[in-house]
Amino acid sequence: MAGRTTGPVLSAEDVTVRFTGRDATVNAVNGVSFTLEAGEVLCILGESGSGKSVTLRALMRLLPARRTQLSGRIEIAGRDVMAMGHRTLADLRGTEVGMIFQEPMVAFDPVYTVGRQIAETIIRHEGTSRGEARRRAIDLLDRVRIPSPERRLRAYPHELSGGMRQRAMIALALCCNPSLLLADEPTTALDATVQIQILLLLRELQRELGMAVIFVTHDVGVAVEIGDRIAVMYGGRFVETGPVREIMHNPRHPYTRGLLSSTVHGSLRGRTLEAIPGSPPDMTRLPPGCAFSPRCQFAEPRCETPPDEFRLTPHHMVRCVRAADG
Amino acid sequence: MTGPGHLPERQEALLAVRELRKYFPVRGGILNRTVGQVQAVDDVNFDVQPGEVLGIVGESGCGKSTTARLIMHLIRADAGRITFDGEPVRPDDTAALREVRRRMQMVFQDSYSSLNPRLPIEDTIMFGPRVHGVSAKAARTRARELFSLVGLDPSQFIRRYPHELSGGQRQRVNIARALALEPRLLILDEAVSALDKSVEAQVLNLLQALRRELGLTYIFISHDLNVVQYMSDRVLVMYLGKVVEIGPTTAIYNRMQHPYTSALLSAMPSMDPDQRTETPPLVGDPPNPIDPPPGCRFHTRCRFAEDMCRHTEPGLEAAAGVQADGSHLVACHMRVAGSGHSLAPD
Amino acid sequence: MTTLDSRQQATVDAAQVAVQSRGYWATVGVRIRDDKVTVACGVVLALIVLSAIFADLIALADPYKASMIKRLAPIGTDGYPLGADEMGRDMLTRLLYGGRLSLFMGISPIVIALAIGGTLGLVAGFLGGRVNMAIMRVMDVFYAFPSVLLAVAISGALGAGIGNAIVSLTLVFIPPITRVTESVTTQVRSLDYVEAARASGAGNLTIIRVHVLSNVLGPVFIYSTSLISVSIILASGLSFLGLGTEPPEPEWGLMLNTLRQSIYVNPWVAALPGAMIFFTSLTFNLLSDGLRSAMDVRL
């Protein structure tokens, strides 16, 4: 599948999302650009309200149309997503792109069995026979390690436990062999022992199927477990992107550094944590320049204009005026 | 086997919990009859020493939050004794209960729903002292002191409403509210779990500072093992309503005895891209807490489970040869000499 | 102090957030001010209510004075700006006076029902268990009947008259108000701030007064205003059927009834009381919708 298209699986340029509400306008995403190669796993790491989930949804135009202003250019497998009609878009969502969410119940219709929903999706997109679709569904459930898949096929979504439901949702997302998987905090609601199982499963499936994955999370540990590349998001912008090792061993943006040093681990016992002061920005009134500057200990007059992207290496981007100083 | 016998009721314990039990009935059918029971907390025993931080960890449904609410007497226990500061707490004695509740307070996970949206936060903080008969003037002065204590500038914040604060600021208000009654014991039920990492670190620092300055005792409940390790002196591990292991933090994290504890610890993401986890420590989901498995409750997911684990429930006993003073207890047949488990020490 | 740093962190962004603290009701006020439909409805409603209250100052004629020659005079007749009714009484005057009774009969059952049903719902929701069961099952019995039928049946049993009409309408509106109050209270009761208040040793009455009431009252109040429109229609309906006010009292429902036969002679005049009922009830409804969206303040 990796060789299905030439060039990147996804390219996004200057994606901007604004929500207009009755009291204020939320600047959720403020110019996000990136490309994703086939078979690559990109983790978008950010705190609540940083715009990470909105970015993911914007890629598939899954935001409520009435109060959303979406602009920019998005191409998936060489096709312009912004120009697509609703039918084409819906078709793209089922075949080329699979999606998984934090809450599996949103992906399933509670009144139909899991097996039926997976089989119907296969029939709708590929026009196979009912028997063939059922065989494929069993195969998929087996693949996501659901024990006794034939029996689970007849289960309703609410009859499955949290981890099983998550697995079933992954099966549903993979049923038409997507080349791109979009995952929105799929392990956040799970217990630790289940979370690691799902992460390992996703990693294995990604490798076997050669999918590209965009994985949104707020948890550095999860990002390190699954990502090839990490994009750190703050105030609706990517403030630093780079390979996982680069980000973990050589973080350059003050926010990334703060985030890593304030992530608690046992060896810090007895010491005061290096916390970032202040609170995440109010997305209805972002500062004109660098969104992190009000909390940044290195803030200076230059930060009052939005910092440009600076490339330390071809793969390591930092959006901070100080990075350019070396 | 299980029971108070193994935990000496030391005189100095601030809080002693003995044989605590709470089953929630599960109702169903058209007649709303009881069809099952969630054994949320089943025969739980532990002590909290003055000035220490006891961490309680476990996955969802293990009974850690129920334990907190039972200690606060927000829900009524089915059985068990709770002793606070040397005196047994009698849930029927309203006046005594009021006094006990003054000396132990709780901070909840959801910083938004634990503040009344219609009250300015100053009024929320004044509420507790007012209930206990403090004059409005004194309560207001106290509220201002508390604001400074938790790092919120009184002149900026006192008249604000909860929706005008960020998550971290709201949790500071909740801490101030809990401190308003000058408690000795603070129960922190997932108090930092809903916060962003950068803000979580601030609140943890604040909690550490308050403990030092006010000589507080904490019960720190969390599902995040990193945070518990950072905060706690001792750690208690729960699984499906039972205590499976309890001991000093270093012992639990470095010489864990129970297979569940070690699974929980190895399920933590490594934070090192060169040492990613390769095999999951456990397969499957935690079993349904309604009618849990007999014998050792962990046997359905334990790779060392033997026949006896399916029938005989292990008691909480001193782990052989780990912590000489008997402060490290574990409920596992594998760790008890002569229990009959093939891997048990001789 | 070693901890000063960690303390100061939170205050750093206080300036950044820089909101002048605005109370809940102030926010609601601003929102209502910006909502043109609601403001317009409020103005129209205020005019209707004020003109009913000050009817004797505004009205030019005596509402009971009949005139054989002016019977069913059309709109615009000299001295009868909105025409005259089937007894030759001035329509404008009677509509103004009629507002008094119609509004009184529409609003007072809701006020009484709010007091009774609100208390019952609060008690049922807060205490839960058996008390809740007992109160709510009784309410369910009333629910089994359509409200119009129930009002007519009770009024019929009690006999005609304003007092009885109000009693019957009150009984009709207690169950829905109780139910809404109960469900809101149940939600609020399970929230952490009520737990926290209990943990600080407060008794039930204090908790209800400080923490529950302020959060329940808003939604229940909005719901009740939306019921006023129904109540006005029902009250007029009772009078129309002869179960409310009795002639010659001016009341919109009753006027609609007595003008019924004249609909072919002078349809415009005959429709006037109906139009008043319609507009009053509509403005109440729109106002209640406006309040609902204005009071829905989250974050």
Side-chain angles (χ1 to χ4, degrees):
Chain A
M1 253 129 285
R4 201 149 65 184
T5 50
T6 49
V9 175
L10 183 144
S11 74
E13 208 174 287
D14 202 24
V15 174
T16 305
V17 181
R18 267 182 240 306
F19 297 117
T20 40
R22 59 185 291 177
D23 293 329
T25 300
V26 179
N27 302 297
V29 180
N30 304 302
V32 161
S33 309
F34 66 100
T35 55
L36 188 70
E37 301 298 328
E40 188 184 23
V41 183
L42 172 73
C43 268
I44 303 182
L45 179 66
E47 297 183 307
S48 57
S50 61
K52 56 189 192 304
S53 288
V54 178
T55 305
L56 195 75
R57 273 153 216 264
L59 295 177
M60 277 282 90
R61 285 174 46 199
L62 271 176
L63 300 161
R66 255 163 44 105
R67 36 183 229 98
T68 311
Q69 290 168 270
L70 171 66
S71 66
R73 201 181 54 79
I74 301 164
E75 261 180 33
I76 290 178
R79 294 156 71 193
D80 184 356
V81 175
M82 299 296 275
M84 280 181 189
H86 282 283
R87 287 293 303 267
T88 334
L89 203 56
D91 205 44
L92 184 79
R93 283 177 197 150
T95 52
E96 203 77 38
V97 185
M99 281 178 294
I100 54 179
F101 305 94
Q102 179 172 344
E103 182 41 69
M105 289 309 265
V106 303
F108 285 108
D109 187 331
V111 300
Y112 297 111
T113 62
V114 168
R116 176 160 173 192
Q117 296 185 53
I118 296 177
E120 300 255 301
T121 312
I122 297 173
I123 294 168
R124 188 173 53 221
H125 289 298
E126 300 189 359
T128 52
S129 73
R130 197 154 280 279
E132 163 72 11
R134 202 183 115 81
R135 227 175 30 72
R136 284 260 302 274
I138 295 176
D139 201 45
L140 276 163
L141 291 191
D142 192 44
R143 194 146 198 185
V144 296
R145 306 269 158 63
I146 290 183
S148 46
E150 263 150 277
R151 196 160 54 81
R152 296 303 164 112
L153 221 47
R154 290 192 296 273
Y156 288 92
H158 70 268
E159 295 173 323
L160 301 177
S161 66
M164 286 304 149
R165 233 180 262 155
Q166 212 70 24
R167 288 168 194 270
M169 181 169 58
I170 295 172
L172 182 67
L174 298 184
C175 68
C176 294
N177 295 321
S179 56
L180 172 63
L181 181 69
L182 303 181
D184 188 7
E185 306 234 20
T187 62
T188 302
L190 300 174
D191 281 319
T193 59
V194 182
Q195 163 170 295
I196 194 78
Q197 295 175 42
I198 300 290
L199 286 178
L200 292 177
L201 174 72
L202 279 173
R203 211 158 77 191
E204 187 187 303
L205 290 169
Q206 182 268 330
R207 239 177 253 154
E208 276 174 26
L209 305 173
M211 285 181 298
V213 178
I214 301 180
F215 193 105
V216 163
T217 181
H218 69 280
D219 187 329
V220 183
V222 167
V224 171
E225 282 291 346
I226 195 145
D228 297 327
R229 207 147 61 96
I230 290 182
V232 182
M233 204 159 178
Y234 190 87
R237 289 199 181 92
F238 282 3
V239 294
E240 182 160 9
T241 57
V244 176
R245 278 185 194 78
E246 245 334 84
I247 298 286
M248 291 304 287
H249 299 315
N250 186 25
R252 296 302 287 271
H253 196 283
Y255 174 67
T256 315
R257 289 186 178 184
L259 194 63
L260 293 179
S261 69
S262 60
T263 299
V264 184
H265 45 92
S267 57
L268 295 165
R269 215 175 128 63
R271 276 188 276 168
T272 303
L273 299 168
E274 288 173 41
I276 307 175
S279 315
D282 178 352
M283 303 297 277
T284 62
R285 44 184 144 214
L286 284 171
C290 170
F292 186 62
S293 60
R295 299 173 77 186
C296 182
Q297 55 173 321
F298 307 111
E300 50 180 289
R302 279 190 293 169
C303 301
E304 277 157 32
T305 49
D308 291 324
E309 292 192 356
F310 179 76
R311 292 195 179 271
L312 285 166
T313 68
H315 296 293
H316 191 172
M317 180 282 285
V318 189
R319 219 181 247 281
C320 175
V321 288
R322 294 180 72 248
D325 302 346
Chain B
M1 293 266 301
T2 329
H6 289 279
L7 281 173
E9 215 155 316
R10 274 178 285 185
Q11 202 59 52
E12 70 268 31
L14 180 66
L15 177 80
V17 174
R18 291 293 174 274
E19 293 164 326
L20 195 63
R21 200 183 74 204
K22 179 70 193 178
Y23 291 178
F24 291 107
V26 180
R27 293 180 193 281
I30 30 171
L31 292 175
N32 209 23
R33 267 199 295 238
T34 306
V35 293
Q37 282 185 317
V38 178
Q39 306 190 356
V41 172
D42 195 10
D43 192 21
V44 163
N45 298 282
F46 63 88
D47 284 344
V48 183
Q49 305 303 326
E52 79 167 342
V53 178
L54 175 73
I56 301 183
V57 295
E59 296 175 290
S60 57
C62 74
K64 49 191 198 300
S65 279
T66 309
T67 306
R69 284 174 158 75
L70 286 171
I71 295 171
M72 284 304 294
H73 291 85
L74 289 173
I75 46 179
R76 194 165 255 258
D78 294 337
R81 284 170 288 130
I82 291 173
T83 311
F84 186 76
D85 216 0
E87 282 171 49
V89 183
R90 290 189 307 277
D92 299 311
D93 186 343
T94 329
L97 199 58
R98 236 170 88 115
E99 185 50 27
V100 167
R101 279 181 178 159
R102 191 182 68 71
R103 286 182 291 164
M104 48 189 191
Q105 281 288 300
M106 185 161 168
V107 178
F108 300 84
Q109 170 172 7
D110 185 341
S111 69
Y112 194 78
S113 81
S114 45
L115 293 173
N116 184 344
R118 298 281 183 274
L119 283 190
I121 52 180
E122 183 186 30
D123 294 5
T124 291
I125 292 177
M126 284 167 60
F127 179 76
R130 293 288 289 136
V131 164
H132 284 268
V134 176
S135 74
K137 195 161 169 262
R140 185 161 285 124
T141 317
R142 175 98 186 106
R144 282 169 185 271
E145 286 166 17
L146 285 163
F147 269 106
S148 317
L149 192 68
V150 297
L152 297 172
D153 179 0
S155 60
Q156 288 257 18
F157 282 93
I158 44 171
R159 293 317 290 173
R160 286 204 191 174
Y161 287 82
H163 70 267
E164 295 168 324
L165 305 180
S166 69
Q169 291 166 346
R170 279 200 297 267
Q171 206 56 307
R172 284 168 193 264
V173 173
N174 279 311
I175 293 170
R177 181 249 306 275
L179 293 178
L181 292 169
E182 299 180 46
R184 297 188 61 195
L185 174 68
L186 206 55
I187 301 175
L188 301 149
D189 185 8
E190 302 272 9
V192 297
S193 306
L195 301 177
D196 283 321
K197 286 288 160 199
S198 67
V199 177
E200 177 189 83
Q202 297 171 15
V203 176
L204 289 176
N205 282 340
L206 173 69
L207 287 171
Q208 293 283 37
L210 290 171
R211 178 162 86 105
R212 274 197 305 272
E213 282 167 33
L214 306 175
L216 291 168
T217 305
Y218 292 159
I219 294 181
F220 189 89
I221 298 171
S222 178
H223 67 277
D224 185 333
L225 290 141
N226 281 319
V227 174
V228 168
Q229 184 181 15
Y230 173 73
M231 287 294 291
S232 315
D233 300 315
R234 283 196 307 138
V235 175
L236 183 153
V237 185
M238 284 186 83
Y239 186 75
L240 286 184
K242 291 273 184 190
V243 178
V244 296
E245 189 164 3
I246 181 170
T249 305
T250 44
I252 294 284
Y253 280 79
N254 301 321
R255 297 182 298 279
M256 63 304 251
Q257 296 294 304
H258 200 283
Y260 176 63
T261 314
S262 57
L264 209 52
L265 287 167
S266 43
M268 285 159 63
S270 62
M271 302 289 287
D272 182 351
D274 296 313
Q275 285 184 3
R276 287 180 172 184
T277 314
E278 289 307 328
T279 46
L282 284 182
V283 290
D285 291 6
N288 197 331
I290 303 171
D291 304 315
C296 172
R297 291 189 179 178
F298 186 58
H299 81 249
T300 53
R301 299 169 85 194
C302 180
R303 59 198 168 104
F304 306 107
E306 291 184 358
D307 230 20
M308 67 170 305
C309 303
R310 292 178 192 103
H311 309 299
T312 322
E313 197 179 315
L316 199 57
E317 309 204 25
V322 206
Q323 204 80 12
D325 60 356
S327 61
H328 188 169
L329 306 179
V330 60
C332 179
H333 293 306
M334 243 177 10
R335 304 298 177 202
V336 176
S339 66
H341 195 286
S342 66
L343 295 170
D346 296 322
Chain C
M1 200 177 344
T2 50
T3 58
L4 210 63
D5 287 348
S6 71
R7 294 282 164 65
Q8 283 172 339
Q9 282 158 358
T11 35
V12 167
D13 58 317
Q16 179 191 331
V17 179
V19 248
Q20 78 281 35
S21 177
R22 196 201 271 156
Y24 171 74
W25 291 109
T27 314
V28 171
V30 170
R31 281 181 162 207
I32 290 177
R33 204 185 57 203
D34 295 347
D35 183 352
K36 293 196 174 58
V37 177
T38 307
V39 172
C41 284
V43 170
V44 170
L45 205 56
L47 283 177
I48 294 177
V49 172
L50 287 176
S51 62
I53 292 173
F54 299 108
D56 33 359
L57 299 180
I58 306 166
L60 316 153
D62 177 350
Y64 302 106
K65 189 175 152 264
S67 160
M68 288 305 277
I69 36 168
K70 292 292 181 185
R71 278 171 59 185
L72 294 172
I75 294 172
T77 307
D78 195 24
Y80 294 84
L82 288 179
D85 70 0
E86 80 286 353
M87 308 267 286
R89 293 172 294 204
D90 180 34
M91 272 308 274
L92 176 63
T93 310
R94 282 183 70 80
L95 284 176
L96 289 175
Y97 276 93
R100 284 185 173 179
L101 266 181
S102 286
L103 287 170
F104 178 70
M105 283 177 63
I107 294 172
S108 59
I110 299 295
V111 174
I112 306 170
L114 181 60
I116 300 173
T119 313
L120 284 174
L122 208 57
V123 170
F126 194 77
L127 295 181
R130 281 170 209 278
V131 178
N132 180 305
M133 191 79 131
I135 294 177
M136 296 320 287
R137 289 304 84 79
V138 172
M139 293 304 149
D140 285 349
V141 174
F142 282 91
Y143 250 108
F145 305 98
S147 54
V148 181
L149 208 62
L150 191 63
V152 172
I154 300 173
S155 274
L158 294 174
I162 299 175
N164 287 344
I166 289 177
V167 170
S168 74
L169 288 176
T170 305
L171 284 173
V172 166
F173 290 114
I174 287 176
I177 291 181
T178 308
R179 183 176 275 194
V180 168
T181 315
E182 187 258 358
S183 79
V184 179
T185 310
T186 309
Q187 271 171 32
V188 168
R189 185 183 67 142
S190 62
L191 289 174
D192 287 342
Y193 61 82
V194 175
E195 289 266 272
R198 192 169 290 137
S200 59
N204 279 351
L205 276 178
T206 318
I207 293 177
I208 290 182
R209 187 171 52 82
V210 180
H211 293 291
V212 179
L213 214 51
S214 55
N215 288 284
V216 170
L217 226 47
V220 174
F221 179 74
I222 293 169
Y223 179 68
S224 302
T225 52
S226 78
L227 287 179
I228 291 180
S229 62
V230 184
S231 178
I232 288 176
I233 293 173
L234 278 184
S236 305
L238 286 179
S239 297
F240 183 86
L241 294 172
L243 290 167
T245 27
E246 285 162 84
E249 290 303 321
E251 197 275 345
W252 295 339
L254 188 64
M255 288 162 71
L256 199 60
N257 185 16
T258 50
L259 282 164
R260 195 164 35 117
Q261 290 99 334
S262 321
I263 191 108
Y264 298 109
V265 183
N266 195 339
W268 293 111
V269 171
L272 280 174
M276 286 309 292
I277 297 172
F278 172 75
F279 277 114
T280 313
S281 136
L282 184 73
T283 45
F284 263 114
N285 236 340
L286 290 174
L287 190 69
S288 142
D289 279 354
L291 279 179
R292 186 197 311 277
S293 67
M295 284 168 80
D296 184 25
V297 181
R298 277 274 129 169
L299 273 166

